[in-house]
């Protein structure tokens, strides 16, 4: 309701400060995964003009940056937890990509009410497209008899952690598919694909 939304607006700085440690290099993977999901839910709550609510562009930009700065192909590949299982890195990658997908899907469903979120998401969409397509390829590969075909090079998991990673990929795939589908026929969908061909970054 409006009063609840007003309370959220007044808490931007405090919530941002509380979420920031979740995305630090020393954060536990379960904390990062939970932080990504919570951040997406909070952004969805404050990024709609439904009911005449005023959106704060600066708050959306700062909070969104916490998530999207980690969601490039290179940044995802760099996520590693040497002291833990390889599946921990997959969990963080897939949860973060699912959180971004939730934002893109909501923006695509309500482009007018979420115009500011659409605008703020746009610079990240080319990288996100590549990452989302990588997730969907991994999910499809592991959906065939429970393991990828010989010679398949995973995007978000390592072969030794395929079984443990499968659940994370399955959880993220439906929302990621919706987000990727919402980009079809947009400039970001074909950007970097060699003039619209099938190559490039996914």
């Amino acid at each position: 309701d409006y009063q609840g939304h007003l309370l959220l607006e007044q808490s931007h700085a405090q919530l941002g400060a509380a979420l920031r440690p979740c995305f630090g290099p020393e954060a536990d993977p379960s904390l990062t995964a939970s932080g990504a999901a919570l951040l997406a839910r909070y952004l969805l709550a404050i990024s709609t003009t439904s009911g005449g609510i005023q959106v704060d562009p600066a708050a959306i930009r700062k909070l969104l940056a916490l998530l999207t700065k980690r969601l490039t192909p290179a940044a995802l590949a760099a996520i590693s937890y040497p002291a833990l299982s390889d599946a921990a890195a997959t969990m963080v990658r897939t949860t973060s990509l699912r959180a971004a997908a939730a934002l893109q899907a909501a923006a695509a469903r309500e482009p007018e009410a979420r115009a500011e979120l659409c605008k703020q998401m746009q610079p990240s969409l080319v990288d996100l497209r590549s990452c989302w397509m990588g997730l969907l390829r991994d999910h499809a590969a592991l959906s065939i008899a429970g393991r990828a075909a010989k010679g398949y090079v995973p995007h978000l998991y390592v072969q030794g952690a395929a079984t443990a990673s499968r659940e994370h990929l399955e959880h993220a795939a439906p929302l990621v598919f919706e987000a990727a589908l919402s980009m079809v026929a947009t400039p970001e969908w074909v950007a970097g694909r060699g003039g619209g061909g099938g190559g490039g970054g996914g």
Side-chain angles (χ1 to χ4, degrees), residues 19-27 32 35-37 39 66-67 69-70 96:
L19 286 167
R20 198 165 289 111
C22 298
F23 300 94
E26 304 301 321
T32 301
L39 177 59
L66 291 175
L67 181 64
K69 69 181 180 181
R70 300 169 60 93
S96 300

Side-chain angles (χ1 to χ4, degrees), residues 52-154:
I53 304 292
Q54 185 173 0
V55 172
D56 183 349
I60 292 177
R61 182 178 67 253
K62 291 176 183 178
L63 291 168
L64 187 60
L66 291 175
L67 181 64
T68 56
K69 69 181 180 181
R70 300 169 60 93
L71 298 183
T72 67
L76 283 179
I79 294 174
S80 176
Y81 301 96
L84 301 173
S85 71
D86 290 318
T90 302
M91 175 184 68
V92 170
R93 293 173 186 134
T94 56
T95 305
S96 300
L97 287 171
R98 187 180 188 279
L103 298 175
Q104 171 60 20
R109 288 188 219 114
E110 302 178 292
E112 293 186 8
R114 298 189 185 274
E116 186 61 36
L117 181 59
C118 290
K119 177 182 176 182
Q120 302 273 8
M121 288 288 293
Q122 190 171 7
S124 303
L125 287 179
V126 173
D127 280 330
L128 284 171
R129 178 204 69 200
S130 296
C131 297
W132 286 333
M133 295 306 295
L135 186 151
L136 293 173
R137 290 189 188 102
D138 284 354
H139 176 251
L142 290 182
S143 295
I144 302 173
R147 59 194 178 97
K150 184 178 180 180
Y152 177 74
V153 179

Side-chain angles (χ1 to χ4, degrees), residues 41-58:
R41 291 185 66 179
Y42 181 59
L43 278 169
L44 289 175
I46 67 170
S47 65
T48 178
T49 57
S50 297
I53 304 292
Q54 185 173 0
V55 172
D56 183 349

Side-chain angles (χ1 to χ4, degrees), residues 171-189:
H171 180 61
L175 200 48
V176 166
F177 179 77
E178 181 182 352
L181 190 62
S182 76
M183 290 183 61
V184 174
T186 68
E188 290 76 23
W189 182 252

